[in-house]
Amino acid sequence: MKVLVINSGSSSIKYQLFVMPQATVICTGLVERIGLKNAVLTYKYLRGNTFEEYQFTGDIPNHTEGLKAVANLLTDVNKGVITSPSEIDVVGHRVVHGGANFVSTALITQAVKDKIRYLFALSPLHNPAHLLGINVAEEVFASAKQVAVFDTAFHQTMPPIAYRMAVPKALYEKDKIRNYGFHGTSHKYVSEQVTKHYNNPNLKIISLHLGNGCSITAIANGKCRDTSMGLGPMNGLVMGTRVGDIDQTVIFYMVNELGYTLQQVNDILNKKSGLLGLAGVSDMRDLQALIQKGDADAILAHQIFVYKAKKFIGSYIAALNGVDVLLFTGGIGENDAYTRAKICENLEGLNIYLDAAKNSIRTSSIREIQADNATIKIVVVPTNEEKEIATQCYTLCQ
């Protein structure tokens, strides 16, 4: 079975083509800057045992043209990996927000698309782009089954004490205001990798997905018990441009006293806050370059980023009544030894001990970085959301 995994953003399309059930990747790539000047299409395709790369820069006015360009490359006489779009059996779509409607992967029907559209208000930066990608894929890969994999699905095992908010009951029952959680595909994948690694399905795991978007999830017996993101993906940890947890009074103060519109507040808290708001840069690599130069704002921004993570770790140890594994994943979590070290620093009272030498080693597989005699494992696990999506699609459609 050939499964094409698509992650459609507002101006981008990430894609990977898998042969299942082996989960062999035969091509991967990215279309970015869609609708802007000098759009870029990157295409890496398997030839023998190695990947070759092709890149195009030019006019890609919309998602339809972008996905058609991908399909043309997939079937290209010299660069292609299939002979016809009809060889694609399943197209798997990442969808950020599934609300309470979707607790598992779903075949896409008109009813499913209507629910994705209904949730635009809860995920205005993501769901519209996902639905656009679905509609385009239905046109370009007309014979394939279309499948939606929801970031929120893994978190639907949270108990009411974790997902309910202390708001009037009608807002929950009628308007579905509650915590949903995000990055679920990643948290599910990495926690399952750890469960397999230790051959123990009963582990208590605290999973930190740290990248431009950040979230932390408490997992017990393979199920989510709590997670830091809520109704939307803005709250919880400090992120690249998102504020994380904030006193709600700030919103009313900005509107009522400072004269901002609600849309301006939303833009500020979603796109201009986090590391960007604190230090002027949103990428952790850029932040650390400033730290090396002694930039006071960058130093404070990193300290706040670390402090928030520490607070969540402590609260989730309390929620789980202990922890077996502290797990780091995502672009920062996997690659940034400095940030991992700072997060684990001075947590001896929680029985968390990091080994600096182990932490400095980089590998492409699961690795332990705790001190030799530590009882709590600290592990770095490379995430692979696309592989998880492909696996869920195969399971549903085989």
Side-chain angles (χ1 to χ4, degrees):
M1 181 186 292
K2 291 185 174 67
V3 179
L4 178 64
V5 174
I6 292 177
N7 183 353
S8 182
S10 59
S11 62
S12 66
I13 304 170
K14 289 176 63 177
Y15 62 93
Q16 285 193 40
L17 180 56
F18 291 83
V19 177
M20 301 300 290
Q22 301 91 337
T24 302
V25 178
I26 57 175
C27 85
T28 182
L30 173 66
V31 188
E32 50 190 333
R33 295 178 56 84
I34 294 172
L36 302 175
K37 291 182 179 180
N38 298 319
V40 180
L41 189 161
T42 303
Y43 173 71
K44 298 178 181 179
Y45 55 101
L46 190 62
R47 282 292 179 267
N49 296 320
T50 60
F51 280 89
E52 298 185 13
E53 181 173 339
Y54 167 81
Q55 189 172 89
F56 165 83
T57 301
D59 185 27
I60 302 177
N62 52 51
H63 284 67
T64 300
E65 294 304 314
L67 202 51
K68 284 182 177 178
V70 171
N72 289 337
L73 284 170
L74 292 176
T75 57
D76 184 83
V77 173
N78 298 313
K79 305 179 186 68
V81 291
I82 57 176
T83 58
S84 166
S86 63
E87 287 186 41
I88 304 297
D89 300 294
V90 181
V91 181
H93 299 267
R94 180 204 178 201
V95 180
V96 164
H97 213 312
N101 297 301
F102 300 102
V103 298
S104 60
T105 299
L107 280 172
I108 294 173
T109 62
Q110 186 58 50
V112 169
K113 292 198 291 183
D114 289 344
K115 290 178 181 176
I116 292 171
R117 183 184 300 278
Y118 173 77
L119 292 163
F120 278 10
L122 297 184
S123 185
L125 300 180
H126 298 95
N127 274 33
H130 299 325
L131 183 58
L132 177 59
I134 290 168
N135 289 333
V136 172
E138 287 177 333
E139 176 186 345
V140 176
F141 302 99
S143 64
K145 293 179 180 178
Q146 307 287 330
V147 174
V149 179
F150 299 92
D151 272 8
T152 47
F154 178 65
H155 300 302
Q156 297 310 297
T157 57
M158 284 191 292
I161 58 171
Y163 71 71
R164 284 288 297 273
M165 298 181 184
V167 296
K169 190 176 181 181
L171 287 175
Y172 166 67
E173 293 183 336
K174 179 183 177 182
D175 301 308
K176 310 303 180 185
I177 294 178
R178 51 159 285 183
N179 293 317
Y180 290 101
F182 300 90
H183 294 144
T185 305
S186 176
H187 287 297
K188 181 178 187 293
Y189 176 80
V190 294
S191 61
E192 288 178 349
Q193 295 304 302
V194 168
T195 295
K196 293 175 185 176
H197 182 74
Y198 291 112
N199 192 28
N200 184 352
N202 301 314
L203 292 171
K204 296 177 180 179
I205 300 170
I206 296 176
S207 172
L208 290 96
H209 178 107
L210 305 179
N212 188 56
C214 300
S215 64
I216 180 169
T217 297
I219 301 164
N221 305 318
K223 295 182 179 181
C224 172
R225 298 305 183 198
D226 202 352
T227 193
S228 58
M229 288 179 167
L231 180 71
M234 190 194 300
N235 64 314
L237 300 173
V238 172
M239 304 176 225
T241 65
R242 298 178 210 157
V243 66
D245 282 349
I246 190 172
D247 176 1
Q248 301 90 329
T249 307
V250 172
I251 297 170
F252 302 113
Y253 182 76
M254 290 178 72
V255 172
N256 296 329
E257 301 299 329
L258 302 183
Y260 289 95
T261 66
L262 283 172
Q263 186 57 55
Q264 287 174 325
V265 173
N266 184 64
D267 288 342
I268 290 169
L269 300 184
N270 251 319
K271 301 176 182 179
K272 300 178 181 179
S273 296
L275 298 180
L276 180 64
L278 289 167
V281 294
S282 61
D283 191 290
M284 183 61 77
R285 291 164 294 190
D286 296 333
L287 187 79
Q288 292 189 26
L290 292 175
I291 291 172
Q292 292 296 318
K293 297 177 181 179
D295 185 283
D297 289 338
I299 292 169
L300 178 61
H302 193 267
Q303 289 173 339
I304 293 172
F305 181 94
V306 166
Y307 181 66
K308 298 287 187 178
K310 286 175 180 283
K311 288 176 68 175
F312 268 100
I313 290 170
S315 67
Y316 283 174
I317 289 176
L320 294 173
N321 191 23
V323 63
D324 300 306
V325 180
L326 185 64
L327 187 164
F328 288 92
T329 194
I332 297 170
E334 295 170 31
N335 301 305
D336 188 345
Y338 174 73
T339 297
R340 288 195 304 265
K342 287 297 182 181
I343 289 173
C344 294
E345 189 176 71
N346 297 323
L347 292 184
E348 295 86 357
L350 300 178
N351 209 23
I352 292 172
Y353 298 90
L354 184 79
D355 184 286
K358 293 178 184 177
N359 186 42
S360 66
I361 298 171
R362 295 184 64 170
T363 67
S364 59
S365 58
I366 295 176
R367 63 191 186 277
E368 295 184 358
I369 58 173
Q370 77 278 356
D372 289 340
N373 298 323
T375 56
I376 295 175
K377 305 291 187 185
I378 308 174
V379 297
V380 179
V381 186
T383 194
N384 193 330
E385 294 172 273
E386 289 79 12
K387 182 179 178 181
E388 177 62 27
I389 291 170
T391 300
Q392 292 190 38
C393 289
Y394 175 75
T395 300
L396 181 69
C397 297
Q398 66 175 322

